[in-house]
Amino acid sequence: MELKQSVEQFKGQTRLPKLAIPTSYDLYLKLDLTACTFSGTVQVNLNILEHTKYLVLNALELDVHKVWFTKSNFETYQPCDVVLDGDDEILVLVFDEILSPGDGVLGIDFSGALNQQLKGLYRCTYVDGGVKKNMAVTQFQAVDARRCFPCWDEPALKATFKITIDVPSELIALSNMPITDEKLNENIKTVYFEESPIMSTYLVAVVVGVFDHIEETTADGTKVRVYCPVGKCDNGKFALDVAVKALDIFTRYFSTPYPLPKLDMVAVPEFSDAAMENYGLITYRENVLLYDDLLSPADRKQFLTIAVSHEVAHQWFGNLVTMEWWSHLWLNEGFATWVSYMATDIMFPEWKIWTQFLLKTNDGLRMDALEQSHPIEVEVHHARSIEEIFDSISYKKGSAVIRMLQGYLGDGTFQKSLSSYIKRYAGKNAKTDDLWGVLSENSGVELNSMMDAWSKKKGFPVISVKYKDNILEFEQSQFLSSGLGGDGLWIVPITLSIGSYNKCKTFLLETKSGKVDISELVHSPHENSSSVNEKNKEKCDDHFWVKVNTEQSGFYRVNYEDKLAARLKKAIESNCLSAPDKFGILDDTYALCEACKQPLSSLLSLMDVYRKELDFIVLSKLINVCYKVMEIASDAIPAVVNELKQFFIDLLLFSAEKSGWESISGESHLNELLRGEVFLALATFGHNKTHKEAIQRFQTLLNDRNTHLLSADTRKAAYIAVMLNASTTDKNGFESLLKLYREADTVQEKELVLRCLASCPDPNILLEVLNFMLSDEVRDQDSIYVLFMISSEGREVAWRWLKENWDLIFAKYGAMLTYYCITKILPLFCSNEKADEIEAFFASRMHPSFTMILKQSIEQIRLKARWVANIRREQSLEDLVKQLPFMKC
């Protein structure tokens, strides 16, 4: 009884007890890919910190066969009890003798199964000569190294790793470090790897399979390789080029060389995330790492560049310097996101990638406006819960806050500070406050108090702006999509432009409200106020506008009084504003409208001035707002939905005519992106001419898979048009798309087809598509793509299907698919009654892996219900829609 009570003290704890710390691991693994099992031995050099009869480490879904502990004096101890606790994921070793402080080696023999959950050490399949064969891959972040070998599985408990693997002789084995030796024993190959530098357990990696590879060597002598499916090396060339350039960029930016002798990047056929930054061995989904010059759309090239840069950046920000605990994960992800855009901008300045960064900022703003939001530096009481809380708030808001801070401090100071931070904490762990401390030292600005509200509290401010007698009045309050007031207070770096980007001002809003005199920016230095008021008032009025949050550099929203909003609307019409500012004005207006702070009529009126817009990022935002308004209008004002669709179509026809369906030799990357977005929107809104053209081009594609009449950038628009015209009585288009999926020889094409299938409004076809998603024809990791284009017409079918299949989905797919089922299906609804029904269904099915996203999705439903009610109360709105300018065309 006494022993059990003693073991109980280690259960239910947030972190492992500080009884011992590891300094190095010697890990041997033997894989049996036929039986899908593995066995191994780990020997851990330990430093015992205090007198103890216990050693406590992490292990999960492993069988432990033998344990021993050898002190530095070669005395060996064996535990009297070995306790594996699956709930707390710990292994407790109980000794009769007291272990005294000092060094020793803990040895454990263990075994386990190669799971199919895409985490820990798992198996996946590849096709060799038409035959499916097994391979093995690891995915340890956040806390799944413990599924592969017993270890101290916490980021702060860094150690070195020396890895040896037994694999079938015909396979390639990769790990974090280069191979030092290989020995062949009949059909088994033993592969020995160099000992790694100090690193966290979640960054350890092993890949065993069949690959082709290509390689380059950086100017600093680092060998970079891309491992591709056999015969697909040409598709790895672009990623290899990006990785080599990114290594050079970050080496110079951080003033610190890449820490390892090699960097491998591997395309894995089955993978839960887009990519994982394992030290020296980055793993990717195949459709993320591989790029086909002819078949991959422009957005895939851009996504690949950012993704590779992001993972390479982690080799410094995350791997060399690691967060002390999962609460600080945003440091890793926020900085890797921000710096990946910086690297992409250096490689491809013509992409104007910083304007597209606004899409990241926007996602962060959207989620952080929920009452079910959380701080980016969130308290993590159990490491397993990081799977739930690591979302767009953590890394999208985090990266946007970093961007805002960079703008406030200046590029030079910021870069110098990051370089100092990397040098100071290299090989160590850091907390958020450590970064603020280094930034404060280098900038001379005390940042801790300023940044606490941004990192340790949820939410962000909306800045209300008024103007009178050359005085701008500012007032901040927490912005919530519910329209309710919050009690947050932030130190906000305010940037503003007055009538021109040559007339700018910056200041810190440190209190609830403040005033700024802009007399010197409104008038020229040779004019007195009376002469302006009398002689040039009309001229000044024509050019006077105030844009707060210039270039959208800050993480906040702006609410202008009516007269200032009217000035900005006129400035947009006159093409006086930059693309980021036009994006921001539309985005803020939509958010305020959604929060019932502005009428829908004001938003529609503003949208009308974007008719001649040709900038990709602005059009992308306009299209997104069109989608959102159409979704809400279908419930709020169904009588005029067709008129609203026609209005949206007319907003986009100018840009569609300018871009055309076919690619133009030498055209810009942004034009390619624009073409895909615009024709997809026109197809979605049911534009007859677009549908007719799309279906004709699709038929051409079916007859000639290499046709130039349907480019990679416009295929999605064509596939959506096909599915919108499919029905139970005419399934030809649907069946043709399925045939295309089955015959596609690239993962990108398969993904694209999957993303379009569920857009069909026919309930029978949608149900067939959802069931197809769960079939053996769709890889588990790819099932999520089917959920992305379900329309509001299909929401009831999708919800009924989800309820009927929930237990199967949760059991087979786990957190990966349940996340997307919740976030892609539930928020399609707009009524409190449906929110109640969903809450009731999940009341007996709650699980920590999706509790937060479920609450957020239900909150979004209730917010939309509130907006629907507000729109219905808006007087004369239907008459306004009928009188929109398109009616005169």
Side-chain angles (χ1 to χ4, degrees):
M1 184 70 180
E2 181 180 350
L3 181 62
K4 287 184 179 179
Q5 288 177 337
S6 299
V7 172
E8 288 295 318
Q9 68 183 301
F10 303 119
K11 297 183 179 182
Q13 301 301 308
T14 301
R15 297 169 76 161
L16 294 171
K18 294 181 179 179
L19 303 173
I21 56 172
T23 57
S24 67
Y25 291 80
D26 194 329
L27 175 63
Y28 164 73
L29 292 172
K30 182 176 183 178
L31 305 186
D32 186 335
L33 293 176
T34 302
C36 295
T37 61
F38 65 92
S39 58
T41 300
V42 63
Q43 298 188 72
V44 191
N45 281 283
L46 291 178
N47 182 8
I48 306 292
L49 300 179
E50 62 181 62
H51 291 92
T52 180
K53 284 189 173 185
Y54 305 95
L55 290 177
V56 185
L57 60 160
N58 295 112
L60 182 62
E61 296 176 359
L62 296 175
D63 294 320
V64 174
H65 305 293
K66 183 180 178 182
V67 181
W68 67 97
F69 179 73
T70 304
K71 291 285 290 179
S72 56
N73 61 3
F74 303 108
E75 229 181 314
T76 299
Y77 304 83
Q78 292 186 332
C80 60
D81 197 10
V82 175
V83 181
L84 278 164
D85 187 301
D87 292 334
D88 287 293
E89 304 179 5
I90 58 173
L91 169 62
V92 182
L93 306 176
V94 186
F95 295 86
D96 284 329
E97 303 91 344
I98 294 177
L99 305 180
S100 57
D103 296 335
V105 178
L106 174 67
I108 304 175
D109 290 341
F110 60 92
S111 63
L114 294 172
N115 69 72
Q116 292 181 273
Q117 301 170 39
L118 307 185
K119 54 188 175 183
L121 177 58
Y122 68 91
R123 74 174 175 95
C124 55
T125 58
Y126 66 99
V127 178
D128 181 17
V131 178
K132 272 190 174 184
K133 295 184 178 181
N134 291 328
M135 59 179 287
V137 183
T138 57
Q139 170 57 31
F140 289 166
Q141 192 183 39
V143 286
D144 286 310
R146 64 192 65 176
R147 292 180 189 267
C148 179
F149 61 99
C151 56
W152 277 256
D153 200 10
E154 294 183 1
L157 299 176
K158 288 187 169 186
T160 62
F161 291 83
K162 191 174 182 180
I163 296 174
T164 305
I165 314 176
D166 277 359
V167 299
S169 58
E170 71 275 13
L171 301 185
I172 292 172
L174 303 170
S175 189
N176 306 86
M177 299 299 290
I179 295 172
T180 59
D181 194 13
E182 290 186 358
K183 293 180 180 178
L184 194 61
N185 182 10
E186 296 183 349
N187 62 342
I188 297 297
K189 178 172 59 177
T190 302
V191 184
Y192 302 85
F193 296 93
E194 282 183 26
E195 187 170 15
S196 76
I198 190 169
M199 65 179 182
S200 302
T201 49
Y202 79 89
L203 296 169
V204 175
V206 169
V207 176
V208 176
V210 174
F211 304 96
D212 284 342
H213 79 270
I214 51 176
E215 67 180 63
E216 283 188 23
T217 302
T218 68
D220 292 339
T222 302
K223 183 175 287 186
V224 184
R225 287 180 171 177
V226 173
Y227 287 83
C228 309
V230 174
K232 298 285 186 179
C233 274
D234 283 349
N235 292 347
K237 289 180 178 178
F238 183 71
L240 178 62
D241 183 58
V242 169
V244 170
K245 289 177 179 176
L247 281 170
D248 178 60
I249 289 168
F250 297 138
T251 295
R252 288 185 281 110
Y253 189 83
F254 295 127
S255 301
T256 301
Y258 172 66
L260 303 184
K262 63 93 175 176
L263 175 63
D264 293 333
M265 304 197 301
V266 188
V268 176
E270 295 175 49
F271 198 66
S272 60
D273 298 305
M276 176 61 205
E277 68 268 18
N278 312 300
Y279 219 176
L281 180 61
I282 304 173
T283 43
Y284 298 83
R285 283 194 179 204
E286 288 180 352
N287 58 353
V288 174
L289 190 65
L290 305 181
Y291 177 78
D292 188 301
D293 288 329
L294 295 177
L295 298 177
S296 299
D299 63 352
R300 180 60 60 183
K301 186 176 188 178
Q302 180 176 297
F303 181 79
L304 185 157
T305 304
I306 295 170
V308 170
S309 299
H310 180 109
E311 304 307 325
V312 173
H314 270 311
Q315 306 303 303
W316 284 266
F317 239 107
N319 300 4
L320 182 61
V321 179
T322 311
M323 73 270 152
E324 191 275 337
W325 181 241
W326 298 109
S327 301
H328 308 280
L329 178 60
W330 84 273
L331 279 177
N332 285 19
E333 297 302 333
F335 267 93
T337 300
W338 168 78
V339 83
S340 68
Y341 276 75
M342 181 199 74
T344 300
D345 188 52
I346 292 171
M347 286 184 257
F348 300 100
E350 69 276 13
W351 291 2
K352 300 180 181 177
I353 201 68
W354 280 122
T355 64
Q356 296 184 61
F357 183 78
L358 296 177
L359 298 173
K360 294 281 186 190
T361 303
N362 180 251
D363 284 345
L365 288 167
R366 179 178 57 84
M367 294 303 295
D368 204 26
L370 297 176
E371 293 184 27
Q372 289 294 333
S373 178
H374 59 77
I376 55 178
E377 182 185 335
V378 63
E379 194 66 33
V380 178
H381 297 292
H382 191 288
R384 186 65 60 186
S385 66
I386 192 65
E387 296 175 351
E388 181 192 11
I389 62 172
F390 177 57
D391 53 17
S392 61
I393 299 169
S394 297
Y395 78 96
K396 293 179 180 178
K397 177 183 178 178
S399 59
V401 168
I402 291 163
R403 173 82 163 143
M404 178 174 68
L405 187 58
Q406 176 207 15
Y408 175 63
L409 296 178
D411 291 344
T413 298
F414 198 69
Q415 180 179 354
K416 179 185 172 184
S417 300
L418 291 188
S419 176
S420 299
Y421 172 78
I422 291 290
K423 286 184 170 74
R424 182 176 300 182
Y425 292 99
K428 302 174 185 176
N429 297 81
K431 301 178 181 180
T432 301
D433 287 344
D434 296 325
L435 176 63
W436 300 153
V438 174
L439 284 165
S440 297
E441 287 175 23
N442 283 274
S443 66
V445 179
E446 203 290 305
L447 292 173
N448 287 74
S449 57
M450 172 182 173
M451 298 309 298
D452 274 358
W454 294 104
S455 64
K456 296 181 179 179
K457 298 178 182 178
K458 67 180 182 180
F460 61 89
V462 54
I463 309 297
S464 298
V465 187
K466 296 180 180 179
Y467 175 72
K468 184 178 181 182
D469 298 333
N470 296 328
I471 300 294
L472 283 174
E473 298 179 4
F474 299 86
E475 183 175 348
Q476 65 162 297
S477 58
Q478 184 176 352
F479 181 82
L480 290 168
S481 292
S482 64
L484 302 174
D487 53 4
L489 186 66
W490 292 262
I491 299 175
V492 189
I494 301 290
T495 57
L496 57 98
S497 300
I498 312 293
S500 164
Y501 290 104
N502 295 321
K503 297 180 178 180
C504 304
K505 195 173 185 69
T506 62
F507 69 97
L508 284 180
L509 181 62
E510 302 184 60
T511 54
K512 177 75 172 174
S513 59
K515 295 182 179 181
V516 173
D517 189 332
I518 58 170
S519 300
E520 77 282 5
L521 297 176
V522 174
H523 312 311
S524 74
H526 305 294
E527 293 177 319
N528 60 48
S529 60
S530 61
S531 65
V532 169
N533 289 337
E534 294 171 10
K535 299 177 183 178
N536 299 317
K537 185 175 187 303
E538 184 176 342
K539 182 179 177 181
C540 287
D541 284 350
D542 285 342
H543 296 282
F544 177 77
W545 46 264
V546 176
K547 175 60 178 68
V548 179
N549 197 11
T550 305
E551 303 292 335
Q552 297 303 110
S553 59
F555 193 80
Y556 54 90
R557 296 207 177 277
V558 183
N559 187 7
Y560 300 93
E561 64 176 349
D562 289 346
K563 62 183 180 183
L564 290 178
R567 298 277 182 196
L568 285 172
K569 183 178 173 183
K570 189 172 183 180
I572 294 170
E573 283 185 290
S574 304
N575 202 28
C576 294
L577 300 181
S578 68
D581 283 335
K582 286 188 281 187
F583 176 104
I585 291 165
L586 181 57
D587 186 41
D588 285 345
T589 303
Y590 170 79
L592 290 162
C593 183
E594 184 182 42
C596 304
K597 295 295 186 182
Q598 289 188 9
L600 180 58
S601 55
S602 295
L603 175 61
L604 295 174
S605 177
L606 175 64
M607 293 168 72
D608 189 50
V609 304
Y610 288 83
R611 284 175 177 269
K612 296 296 179 72
E613 187 57 60
L614 289 174
D615 186 274
F616 166 70
I617 193 63
V618 182
L619 265 174
S620 181
K621 171 47 60 178
L622 179 64
I623 289 169
N624 177 261
V625 171
C626 288
Y627 288 150
K628 295 293 186 182
V629 172
M630 182 56 61
E631 192 177 295
I632 206 74
S634 298
D635 283 270
I637 44 175
V640 291
V641 160
N642 289 334
E643 288 88 345
L644 204 54
K645 279 186 181 178
Q646 188 59 49
F647 172 55
F648 293 157
I649 288 169
D650 282 0
L651 289 180
L652 302 174
L653 285 179
F654 177 77
S655 57
E657 290 166 3
K658 286 287 186 181
S659 64
W661 272 90
E662 295 175 26
S663 302
I664 302 169
S665 178
E667 71 179 335
S668 73
H669 169 79
L670 292 172
N671 280 352
E672 292 175 325
L673 292 177
L674 184 147
R675 178 180 296 110
E677 288 265 10
V678 168
F679 281 107
L680 174 60
L682 288 174
T684 303
F685 293 134
H687 184 228
N688 289 332
K689 184 179 177 181
T690 298
H691 275 210
K692 183 178 178 181
E693 186 70 29
I695 292 171
Q696 285 179 348
R697 290 174 183 267
F698 177 70
Q699 290 300 324
T700 303
L701 175 69
L702 294 180
N703 297 324
D704 176 11
R705 299 297 166 84
N706 296 316
T707 180
H708 295 292
L709 292 179
L710 193 58
S711 69
D713 298 301
T714 54
R715 285 191 182 192
K716 188 173 185 180
Y719 296 172
I720 291 295
V722 167
M723 290 309 300
L724 289 177
N725 284 277
S727 65
T728 306
T729 55
D730 182 5
K731 298 176 67 174
N732 289 335
F734 169 49
E735 289 170 351
S736 295
L737 262 181
L738 282 180
K739 186 172 185 287
L740 200 63
Y741 171 82
R742 288 164 177 147
E743 295 177 355
D745 62 355
T746 67
V747 289
Q748 290 93 342
E749 183 67 8
K750 285 182 176 290
E751 176 193 336
L752 180 58
V753 174
L754 290 176
R755 284 180 179 269
C756 299
L757 291 176
S759 61
C760 185
D762 185 287
N764 295 320
I765 291 182
L766 176 57
L767 187 59
E768 187 176 341
V769 168
L770 292 171
N771 289 328
F772 172 75
M773 179 183 87
L774 301 182
S775 73
D776 292 338
E777 288 196 70
V778 180
R779 292 187 298 184
D780 290 357
Q781 65 163 20
D782 294 339
S783 56
I784 62 173
Y785 301 131
V786 177
L787 300 167
F788 278 68
M789 294 295 289
I790 297 174
S791 66
S792 56
E793 293 95 331
R795 61 192 179 187
E796 285 291 352
V797 172
W799 170 233
R800 286 197 300 271
W801 170 86
L802 181 60
K803 288 188 291 184
E804 291 168 4
N805 291 277
W806 178 259
D807 293 340
L808 167 67
I809 290 170
F810 187 71
K812 181 180 178 182
Y813 299 89
M816 178 180 65
L817 186 56
T818 55
Y819 173 89
Y820 285 96
C821 284
I822 289 170
T823 58
K824 297 301 179 184
I825 295 176
L826 304 191
L828 292 171
F829 291 103
C830 302
S831 72
N832 286 313
E833 293 76 16
K834 186 59 68 173
D836 293 341
E837 179 187 332
I838 291 168
E839 280 186 329
F841 175 79
F842 282 105
S844 60
R845 297 172 175 85
M846 294 301 290
H847 189 273
S849 65
F850 60 79
T851 301
M852 180 174 291
I853 58 166
L854 178 63
K855 289 179 178 178
Q856 290 172 344
S857 295
I858 291 171
E859 181 182 350
Q860 288 172 326
I861 297 171
R862 297 194 187 281
L863 289 172
K864 290 168 77 173
R866 179 174 178 268
W867 192 15
V868 165
N870 192 64
I871 291 171
R872 288 172 178 169
R873 288 193 295 267
E874 195 173 328
Q875 296 199 357
S876 305
L877 180 60
E878 292 190 4
D879 292 338
L880 169 70
V881 172
K882 291 176 182 178
Q883 295 168 14
L884 285 169
F886 77 83
M887 296 297 289
K888 302 173 184 177
C889 296

